[in-house]
């Protein structure tokens, strides 16, 4: 199955976050065959998850993307029109001016497709220690207006984090679309050319590996060694780190799990692989996710499930209050098992 | 019994300890040690295990090590080549006994 449109455009019932929550709450979790995430936390003596502080503000600047990857938890694609306005970006800049936040993490969709993307990066750059852009690589070669993105990233010392599910065309194209692998290789060459991923330049290029199916990733270190060897030998590509990210049962990956009759087995795998040591490092403890409308969430996954910050924490960036943000219980559900399975998973890769 | 092999039984493997905890525990501890990174990587061990699973024709092992091989980044071609290695060894193991047959023929016939 090659998805050519978003769930939303196809009017699939899973485009409704409530339907996703219902699916994640029913079945093995409703009949007691599997413990809910909350029950699992109680088993290790943690009744709630609480923030440790706010180090990372992750901004989803819009759901528009030039790709329609099968596993996308955002349900992004060319048919999505949700885009963050400069006005909302301005509110984020104000928050960065008045609070010490180390990292601004920009995601989408393809964040570069937001018309105010470059303005936002330039405004935010002096205010934080690091800006991360989660680039899908193919956007760099998609249109001549994006050809100079590598230079723009370098000028603003942006850390580029790019999805590349595998170091060959077969697996990559099956997940991300026909021809994506070759375009990604072209994008990586352009990034390497300006110094990204090259030792000594201070320009970091990290790759993200997601399993291309209903299984969990192997050890990050081992896969990184494989990726480095294959990409160097076959394509003369350099990069810094490989982050292994577990696919969470949300949106189009959830659709795939159900359609391929892998859902229950996959949830079983996530629960079986629950690692208490990974709980301490889950990203929702030091990250807040901001949607294209400025609404606030514990993570990008909760954003997609329309689960806002709980309690008295502000709901929108316009009302941002760091103390209130840090004084909240993190909203959890069964998808959270994806971040605590095995070596753990976050936007920065494995946790333990 | 509906079938001698039920895929869900793989999850119950640990229950063999219910009848003999000491030996079962020793087996699983040893099993875990075997698959750790060592002189061979965990990745190399995954593809060896996939081939051996086919050689011993264990459906549970085939399920488990197909997934483990995918997790470690092996592709379809590599996995099928591993299965052919298992098949070649099994086939060869039968055929090499042809020499025994030939020796016996030579001894018995005038």
């Amino acid at each position: 199955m090659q998805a050519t449109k978003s769930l939303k455009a196809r009017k699939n019932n899973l485009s409704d976050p409530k339907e996703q929550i219902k699916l994640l709450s029913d079945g093995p979790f409703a009949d007691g065959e599997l413990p809910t995430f909350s029950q699992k936390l109680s088993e290790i003596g943690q009744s709630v998850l609480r923030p440790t502080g706010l180090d990372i503000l992750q901004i989803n600047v819009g759901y528009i993307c030039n790709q329609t990857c099968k596993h996308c938890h955002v349900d992004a694609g060319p048919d999505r029109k949700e885009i963050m306005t400069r006005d909302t970006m301005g509110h984020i800049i104000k928050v960065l001016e008045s609070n010490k936040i180390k990292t601004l993490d920009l995601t989408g969709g393809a964040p570069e497709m937001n018309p105010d993307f470059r303005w936002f990066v330039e405004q935010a750059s002096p205010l934080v220690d690091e800006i991360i852009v989660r680039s899908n690589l193919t956007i760099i070669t998609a249109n001549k207006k994006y050809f100079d993105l590598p230079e723009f990233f370098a000028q603003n010392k942006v850390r580029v984090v790019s999805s590349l599910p595998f170091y060959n065309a077969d697996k990559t194209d099956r997940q991300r679309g026909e021809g994506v692998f070759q375009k990604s290789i072209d994008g990586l060459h352009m990034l390497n050319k300006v110094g990204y991923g090259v030792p000594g330049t201070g320009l970091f290029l990290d790759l993200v590996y997601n399993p291309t199916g209903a299984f969990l990733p192997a050890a990050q270190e081992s896969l990184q060694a494989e990726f480095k060897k294959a990409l160097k030998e076959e394509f003369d590509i350099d990069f810094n780190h490989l982050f292994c990210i577990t696919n969470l049962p949300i949106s189009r990956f959830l659709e795939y799990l159900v359609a391929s009759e892998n859902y229950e087995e996959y949830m079983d795998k996530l629960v079986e692989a629950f690692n208490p040591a990974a709980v301490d490092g889950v990203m929702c403890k030091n990250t807040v996710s901001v949607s294209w409308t400025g609404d606030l969430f514990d993570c990008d996954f909760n954003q997609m499930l329309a689960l806002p910050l709980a309690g008295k924490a502000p709901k929108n960036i316009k009302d941002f209050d760091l103390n209130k943000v840090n004084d909240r219980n993190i909203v959890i559900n069964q998808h959270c098992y994806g971040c605590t399975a095995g070596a753990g998973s976050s936007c920065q890769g494995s946790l333990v | 019994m509906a079938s001698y092999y039920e895929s869900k039984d793989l999850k119950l493997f640990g229950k063999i300890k219910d009848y003999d905890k000491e030996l079962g525990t020793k087996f699983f501890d040893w099993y875990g040690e075997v698959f750790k990174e060592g002189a061979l990587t965990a990745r190399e061990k995954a593809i060896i295990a996939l081939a051996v699973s086919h050689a011993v024709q264990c459906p549970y092992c085939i399920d488990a090590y197909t997934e483990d091989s995918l997790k470690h980044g092996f592709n379809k071609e590599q996995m099928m080549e591993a299965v052919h290695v298992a098949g070649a060894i099994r086939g060869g193991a039968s055929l090499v006994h042809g020499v025994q047959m030939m020796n016996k023929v030579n001894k018995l016939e005038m």
Side-chain angles (χ1 to χ4, degrees), chain A residues 129-200:
Chain A
D129 295 344
E130 182 174 58
I131 296 186
I132 295 171
V133 172
R134 296 187 183 271
S135 174
N136 69 19
L137 292 175
T138 65
I139 191 68
I140 300 172
T141 61
N143 185 298
K144 65 179 179 186
K145 68 180 173 181
Y146 300 123
F147 289 175
D148 66 339
L149 275 171
E151 287 84 358
F152 173 78
F153 291 150
Q155 282 157 13
N156 290 280
K157 297 275 186 285
V158 165
R159 184 177 198 119
V160 179
V161 178
S162 296
S163 287
L164 188 71
F166 211 64
Y167 48 77
N168 68 27
D170 176 45
K171 291 193 183 200
T172 301
D173 289 0
R174 271 190 286 127
Q175 185 185 80
R176 299 175 75 77
E178 197 65 34
V180 164
F181 181 72
Q182 188 52 52
K183 288 176 191 162
S184 300
I185 293 296
D186 295 343
L188 286 169
H189 278 139
M190 289 167 75
L191 287 163
N192 277 173
K193 200 175 168 188
V194 299
Y196 270 99
V198 179

Side-chain angles (χ1 to χ4, degrees), chain A residues 35-46 49 216 267-280 282 336-344:
Chain A
T36 63
F37 190 72
S38 172
Q39 289 166 338
K40 200 72 180 175
L41 282 184
S42 297
E43 282 176 23
I44 60 163
Q46 296 200 31
L49 287 182
L216 307 184
M267 295 311 293
D268 190 55
K269 277 176 210 169
L270 293 180
V271 175
E272 283 281 314
F274 177 77
N275 181 358
V279 174
D280 290 337
V282 285
C336 302
Y337 274 118
C339 291
T340 57

Side-chain angles (χ1 to χ4, degrees), chain A residues 17-18 20-21 24 249-251 297 300-307 333 335:
Chain A
K18 289 194 188 83
Q20 296 188 51
I21 298 275
L24 289 166
I250 289 180
S251 200
F297 302 86
D300 205 44
F301 304 111
N302 279 10
Q303 181 185 142
M304 300 314 145
L305 292 172
L307 300 170
N333 203 297
H335 63 290

Side-chain angles (χ1 to χ4, degrees), chain B residues 32-94:
Chain B
E33 286 295 316
V34 164
F35 280 91
K36 280 185 180 168
E37 297 273 337
L40 294 173
T41 63
R43 185 174 190 270
E44 289 163 338
K45 289 174 184 180
I47 201 76
I48 292 171
L50 180 69
V52 174
S53 301
H54 285 79
V56 299
Q57 293 176 300
C58 166
Y60 302 116
C61 313
I62 291 171
D63 271 5
Y65 288 100
T66 296
E67 182 164 341
D68 204 37
S69 296
L70 287 172
K71 280 171 69 169
H72 280 95
F74 287 103
N75 62 32
K76 291 173 187 169
E77 291 76 18
Q78 292 167 322
M79 289 162 69
M80 187 53 84
E81 278 187 23
V83 172
H84 275 285
V85 170
I89 295 293
R90 276 183 69 100
S94 292

Side-chain angles (χ1 to χ4, degrees), chain A residues 1 70 97 130 142 144 157 168 232 263 289 317 351:
Chain A
M1 176 191 74
K70 277 188 206 174
E97 283 168 345
E130 182 174 58
K144 65 179 179 186
K157 297 275 186 285
N168 68 27
K232 188 67 187 171
Y263 171 71
S289 159
I317 196 75
L351 301 172

